[in-house]
Amino acid sequence: MSELHQKSLRELGEGLAAGAFSSVELTEHFLQRIRNHDPALNSFITVSDREALRQAGAADERIQKGEGGPLTGIPLIHKDIFCTHGVKTSCGSRMLDNFISPYDATVVEKLADAGMVMLGKANMDEFAMGSSNETSYYGPVRNPWDTERVPGGSSGGSAAAVAARLAPAATGTDTGGSIRQPAALCGITGLKPTYGRVSRWGMIAFASSLDQAGPMARSAEDCALLLSVMAGFDERDSTSVDRPVDDYLAALEQPVKGLRVGVVKEFFGEGLDSGVGASIGEAMKVLEGLGVELVEVSLPHSRYSVPAYYVVAPAEASSNLARYDGVRFGHRCEDPKDLEDLYKRSRAEGFGAEVKRRIMIGTYALSAGYYDAYYLKAQKVRQVIAQDFRNAFDQADLLLGPASPEVAFRLGEKSDDPVSMYLSDIYTIAVNLAGLPALSMPAPRAHGLPVGLQLIGNYFDEGRLLNLAHQLQLATDWHLQTPEGFE
Amino acid sequence: MTLEREDVEKIAHLARLAVAEEQLETLRGELAGILRLVEQMDELDTGDILPMAHPLEMTQRLRPDLVTEENHREEYQAVAPLVENGLYLVPRVIE
Amino acid sequence: MAWETVIGLEIHVQLTTQSKIFSGASTRFGAEPNTQACLVDLGFPGVLPVLNEGAVRRAVLFGTAIEAEIARRSVFARKNYFYPDLPKGYQISQYELPIVGRGHVEILLENGERKRIGVTRAHLEEDAGKSLHEDFHGYTGIDLNRAGTPLLEIVSEPDLRSAREAVAYAKKIHQIVTYLGICDGNMQEGSFRMDANVSVRPVGQEEFGTRTELKNLNSFRFLERAIDFEVERQIDVLESGGEVVQETRLYDPQKDETRSMRTKEEANDYRYFPDPDLLPLVIDDAFIEETVRDMPELPEARRRRFEEQYGLSAYDADVLTATRAAADYYEAVVAVAGDAKLAANWMMVELYGALNKAGLELAESPISAKALGELVLRIADDTISGKIAKTVFEEMWQSGRSADAIIDEKGLKQITDSGAIEAIVDEVLAENAQQVENYRNADPKKQPKMLGFFVGQVMKKSQGKANPKQVNELLRKKLE
């Protein structure tokens, strides 16, 4: 029984189907682990234990009737950015501390329909704005590999919980690296799909043209299982793509010999920690051993991705977050003296410092007289960056680089310097601007801490990404390593 | 572009965020720092390039004109800070 | 100094879709507060908009009707500002690329000339909710049922030169949108709302004066009075050496004046940018063709057809096509009555007279088009005389019964039996021998007038039921 939390999703599904353990037992096992270990990590905002056990009971019935699918009865956690009917959905913010969502996000609905059991809601940077999980109203999440360090962000709770084996799987969202960077820093596998592949309905918006939900789990195979359910057209989301979902599980087994993988020159320059660089180098050697052909490619304008992102994302956010006004839901200040006071104090009290900074930057970038210099300019830079990728994919099937320039940094190390924090997403942001799929998976550790290998695919090429990651994981055990104390 | 204190006040008002007098200078410094990062874009000549608003070249899908929603007022107003007789209440608006 | 007035109108037209522009909530008017506001309309966290095809088709119909270019690619943008009736903190509208480009309409001036008025653009957007200012212990109540109702905002060129022209243009737009059936035109319920941009300049000056924007003009009468007041005000300001301030002014119908809206609001900075939740709206020829295939006949075309097909005068055709409801009513009357000119007279004189007296709209008429058609038919086929028909009409108006039922019950059927009429005529002639003698000796020019006496006597004797035509003919023959 003690090994349950070390099993892959496929193994858990097989065990449930064979009756080796029930979903209720499995769920109780994870709830117990959460009770034991989460106080040290703070990876949960809400643990929905009663509802989880109810769902587990229903899953067991489904399995007994032979109506279960591959994920029926398996627990997971949702990033608290996804609306969950009847369950608090805070988005890591005081603004929504009292918000019980009256509806489910499409992602939540789909995973529930597949029979998955929700253990609770994962901690996150407030409104997904952050790279360290330190902007959460609910306090920072700690990295299970070293609790003095950050887990990355914004999906830090999801990454830490999966790394600590408090849940076998989690959902995350990635606007500028928020799945890949915490996956890297916590040593798990996380995939950001192509923009439009997974519905955004019910996923609280940060930057609408960049946000994309994806799976976070221990292996590429786990991610493939989850993505098979999460992906797909949704008529409630105008930006959802009406296109069949590929068979990701079948893709896992494709041969990788002869695959051309582009090594992004710009991701190995100044600013990259040498330990991280060496780790990525080691992973590259294994890839070559698998018959993969490595070629050098260039994304010459990638250094402009962070500047462009910090216009586009805040601009969209400044508008998306205008609905939090203390009128229909969310925080409302005490005794507003007039309408303006209601707005200004409710918002000032409800939002944390980083969210306010970004709202202000975005407001400024869109305001009269600055629109062309900032917003329009950023959209043009975005086009240049997307063109870089188009050129690179003329030479390679997939691209490769580190997911983060360094391993997990210490709590508080960057929290006083927004710009240095922003630069920790330097290798992930360009992908969001272009709308491409990418994943981060464990490479050999450096300085005793996890390192993320980033693979970037062409549009809708999630299958090939998962394929290469899976083949690399079959040949290595980096993704199986568990932080001490959480085995 | 330099960011003045007055700019910060104006932005804060546009965004409806109360900012305490003593925080203005710190905030101005932080925002100016972010703008310096952002302004690195200026190095790039983007003259004829088409702005990119969406990652994918897709067009808007149309929904058939059908009523699909029912009344859920009680449920939706359960999370509202202040309602009366089915109305959301705000401090009196003077026209 | 002589001044010239320059006016441009912005008209907000609520479209007649069943559901909202970006959600599946109903647009029905008058529901309990917030019962037709779904998650999307309320701007809940995580919700997304999807565009209503019905709204797009209605915009295409309007654009086609005013001979405008339909944009093959248009873009929705967010207009950002905080207001309690605007749930998301932004309004989804179209800014740089509207769906309907430059078009035009023609208005009829008082001197009978026609003037072409340019329409700059028309764009789709969502309506806001309503603020209810009745006292909720010092609070304002917010009802978001209207939030998300589709609007077409129609912006005119500054081509209008008087309040009268502005009214004629607004009425023309009202006529077009109601003809197209894309708007119910109900001004009381706010389905058709107008704002006016007004400025004055010395006659002969090229550049425009500073304009003010007049809001809250929810009837054609208010539109005219507000502009008249505002023009006077601006001229007074300028002639006393002052300057017109560019501002938004509210028309107060009680005081019949405009006043500055008391806001210390900063110069509006709406921070428009393309809505990232919506993609560019691309329309192809097939979509446009499919949309305009069932386009209803427009007022101009229908007016011309009425002249040709029914032989109506230009004036009658104009009156009867003033609204789609009137034209539909008229054609329904003709379909039953057959006689188009008689039908036109009865509708314009008797029916409109009665409606006017009762203060009713055509839609509220107690006499249906079919019922009026049946009455006119009885005149046309000589069952009753026009005079009797007026009595029947009154009875129909009061009781709602059919013309035939009333004619039958009251025995009002005209006497057309020539024998019976001849007997009455003979009786009258015998009783009035002296008048007969006088008639026969009179100047033939005076005879027609004298004939009236005998006709009156015959009609009196027949209780008005004798067919006047036959009576006339018989009398003339017998008096020769």
Side-chain angles (χ1 to χ4, degrees), chain B residues 10 13-16 53-54 56 58-73 76-77 79 82 84-95, chain C residues 17-21 23-24 33-35 38-39 42 44 50-53 82-83 132-133 135-143 262 265-266 271 276 278-280 282:
Chain B
K10 192 190 136 209
H13 174 66
L14 269 178
R16 297 297 185 274
H54 281 284
L56 302 175
M58 296 200 308
T59 59
Q60 181 60 38
R61 189 162 35 80
L62 299 176
R63 178 177 64 77
D65 178 22
L66 296 172
V67 175
T68 53
E69 294 290 334
E70 292 160 10
N71 173 25
H72 290 288
R73 186 175 76 183
Y76 297 164
Q77 292 194 339
V79 292
L82 193 59
E84 191 175 301
N85 297 332
L87 295 163
Y88 294 99
L89 296 191
V90 298
R92 184 187 283 282
V93 179
I94 307 146
E95 286 226 326
Chain C
T17 52
Q18 296 298 304
S19 62
K20 294 190 177 169
I21 184 165
S23 83
N34 292 309
T35 54
C38 71
L39 293 168
L42 294 169
F44 261 63
V50 183
L51 183 58
N52 184 339
E53 177 180 339
F82 285 87
Y83 204 72
L132 304 169
H133 302 293
D135 193 27
F136 292 98
H137 0 279
Y139 287 98
T140 290
I142 307 296
D143 174 10
R262 285 171 293 158
E265 198 53 36
E266 74 281 355
R271 291 159 283 138
L278 291 160
L279 299 161
V282 172

Side-chain angles (χ1 to χ4, degrees), chain A residues 15-268:
Chain A
L16 285 162
F21 44 86
S22 71
S23 175
V24 169
E25 286 166 340
L26 187 62
T27 301
E28 274 175 340
H29 177 78
F30 280 107
L31 288 172
Q32 188 56 48
R33 282 189 66 79
I34 293 165
R35 281 191 287 273
N36 293 346
H37 294 288
D38 201 50
L41 299 178
N42 195 30
S43 65
F44 280 79
I45 289 173
T46 303
V47 179
S48 47
D49 36 8
R50 281 173 60 185
E51 178 59 15
L53 289 169
R54 196 196 60 74
Q55 290 177 5
D60 281 333
E61 274 180 41
R62 240 174 103 170
I63 293 165
Q64 269 154 29
K65 285 189 210 154
E67 291 165 3
L71 293 172
T72 307
I74 301 178
L76 92 164
I77 53 177
H78 287 300
K79 184 178 183 180
D80 209 20
I81 200 167
F82 293 100
C83 284
T84 43
H85 195 169
V87 177
K88 175 166 128 176
T89 301
S90 75
C91 221
S93 181
R94 182 186 181 195
M95 182 59 86
L96 291 176
D97 183 44
N98 57 4
F99 182 66
I100 310 291
S101 173
Y103 77 110
D104 273 334
T106 298
V107 162
V108 170
E109 198 176 85
K110 283 183 160 218
L111 290 166
D113 287 350
M116 294 197 83
V117 173
M118 184 178 84
L119 296 170
K121 306 292 292 288
N123 203 345
M124 56 181 284
D125 277 302
E126 184 179 10
F127 282 99
M129 298 179 192
S131 307
S132 68
N133 226 296
E134 291 167 294
T135 72
S136 170
Y137 173 61
Y138 302 92
V141 176
R142 289 162 185 276
N143 193 318
W145 291 91
D146 177 350
T147 54
E148 293 307 309
R149 291 176 187 267
V150 303
S154 64
S155 313
S158 300
V162 170
R165 278 47 172 172
L166 306 188
T171 53
T173 62
D174 192 317
T175 304
S178 281
I179 287 176
R180 291 160 289 154
Q181 186 255 18
L185 270 45
C186 289
I188 65 163
T189 305
L191 170 70
K192 177 207 107 66
T194 308
Y195 182 83
R197 182 66 294 183
V198 175
S199 169
R200 293 189 297 117
W201 174 262
M203 187 178 116
I204 298 178
F206 159 17
S208 310
S209 77
L210 302 163
D211 295 343
Q212 184 62 199
M216 300 176 79
R218 296 214 312 275
S219 68
E221 184 191 57
D222 289 357
C223 286
L225 273 161
L226 293 164
L227 185 63
S228 304
V229 175
M230 293 171 75
F233 174 63
D234 182 2
E235 60 181 19
R236 291 172 293 195
D237 175 1
S238 294
T239 62
S240 168
V241 181
D242 192 358
R243 166 191 172 115
V245 176
D246 294 338
D247 186 343
Y248 302 125
L249 289 173
L252 294 177
E253 309 304 335
Q254 295 299 307
V256 294
K257 196 167 188 304
L259 210 59
R260 285 169 71 87
V261 174
V263 180
V264 181
K265 189 171 77 180
E266 288 77 11
F267 289 4
F268 292 86

Side-chain angles (χ1 to χ4, degrees), chain A residues 134-442:
Chain A
E134 291 167 294
T135 72
S136 170
Y137 173 61
Y138 302 92
V141 176
R142 289 162 185 276
N143 193 318
W145 291 91
D146 177 350
T147 54
E148 293 307 309
R149 291 176 187 267
V150 303
S154 64
S155 313
S158 300
V162 170
R165 278 47 172 172
L166 306 188
T171 53
T173 62
D174 192 317
T175 304
S178 281
I179 287 176
R180 291 160 289 154
Q181 186 255 18
L185 270 45
C186 289
I188 65 163
T189 305
L191 170 70
K192 177 207 107 66
T194 308
Y195 182 83
R197 182 66 294 183
V198 175
S199 169
R200 293 189 297 117
W201 174 262
M203 187 178 116
I204 298 178
F206 159 17
S208 310
S209 77
L210 302 163
D211 295 343
Q212 184 62 199
M216 300 176 79
R218 296 214 312 275
S219 68
E221 184 191 57
D222 289 357
C223 286
L225 273 161
L226 293 164
L227 185 63
S228 304
V229 175
M230 293 171 75
F233 174 63
D234 182 2
E235 60 181 19
R236 291 172 293 195
D237 175 1
S238 294
T239 62
S240 168
V241 181
D242 192 358
R243 166 191 172 115
V245 176
D246 294 338
D247 186 343
Y248 302 125
L249 289 173
L252 294 177
E253 309 304 335
Q254 295 299 307
V256 294
K257 196 167 188 304
L259 210 59
R260 285 169 71 87
V261 174
V263 180
V264 181
K265 189 171 77 180
E266 288 77 11
F267 289 4
F268 292 86
E270 198 190 333
L272 177 65
D273 175 88
S274 59
V276 172
S279 165
I280 300 298
E282 227 178 293
M284 282 160 57
K285 272 191 215 116
V286 179
L287 285 174
E288 280 181 313
L290 295 172
V292 168
E293 188 190 337
L294 297 178
V295 294
E296 190 185 86
V297 297
S298 172
L299 300 173
H301 303 96
S302 60
R303 72 175 181 281
Y304 300 111
S305 60
V306 173
Y309 177 87
Y310 278 96
V311 172
V312 173
E316 293 182 7
S318 71
S319 177
N320 283 334
L321 270 60
R323 68 191 61 202
Y324 305 103
D325 59 5
V327 178
R328 296 164 318 287
F329 43 76
H331 179 73
R332 177 174 177 127
C333 67
E334 291 286 334
D335 301 320
K337 68 179 200 301
D338 55 27
L339 184 65
E340 195 167 302
D341 188 40
L342 167 73
Y343 286 154
K344 289 188 172 175
R345 271 202 295 133
S346 297
R347 290 166 60 75
E349 293 167 7
F351 294 136
E354 179 61 20
V355 171
K356 284 189 261 194
R357 272 194 291 271
R358 295 206 197 181
I359 289 176
M360 291 187 71
I361 284 292
T363 302
Y364 185 66
L366 290 173
S367 66
Y370 299 101
Y371 181 87
D372 287 4
Y374 291 111
Y375 188 74
L376 204 63
K377 177 82 182 180
Q379 286 205 329
K380 290 179 173 186
V381 174
R382 193 172 178 182
Q383 187 74 267
V384 171
I385 287 164
Q387 186 57 48
D388 275 1
F389 279 110
R390 286 190 282 269
N391 297 341
F393 282 113
D394 285 343
Q395 300 159 52
D397 302 310
L398 297 173
L399 309 181
L400 169 155
S404 170
E406 54 188 355
V407 293
F409 45 92
R410 291 182 184 283
L411 283 160
E413 194 178 318
K414 300 186 183 199
S415 45
D416 292 336
D417 182 0
V419 171
S420 84
M421 185 74 86
Y422 297 170
L423 292 171
S424 60
D425 289 330
I426 189 156
Y427 302 145
T428 48
I429 275 178
V431 162
N432 298 80
L433 290 171
L436 293 163
L439 62 74
S440 174
M441 60 187 293

Side-chain angles (χ1 to χ4, degrees), chain B residues 25-59:
Chain B
E25 190 45 44
T26 318
L27 193 55
R28 194 202 61 76
E30 288 168 352
L31 298 179
I34 298 169
L35 289 176
R36 272 195 301 279
L37 168 76
V38 157
E39 282 158 10
Q40 290 173 14
M41 293 190 301
D42 296 346
E43 295 166 16
L44 204 58
D45 178 14
T46 49
D48 300 335
I49 290 155
L50 274 174
M52 176 172 165
H54 281 284
L56 302 175
E57 279 293 317
M58 296 200 308
T59 59

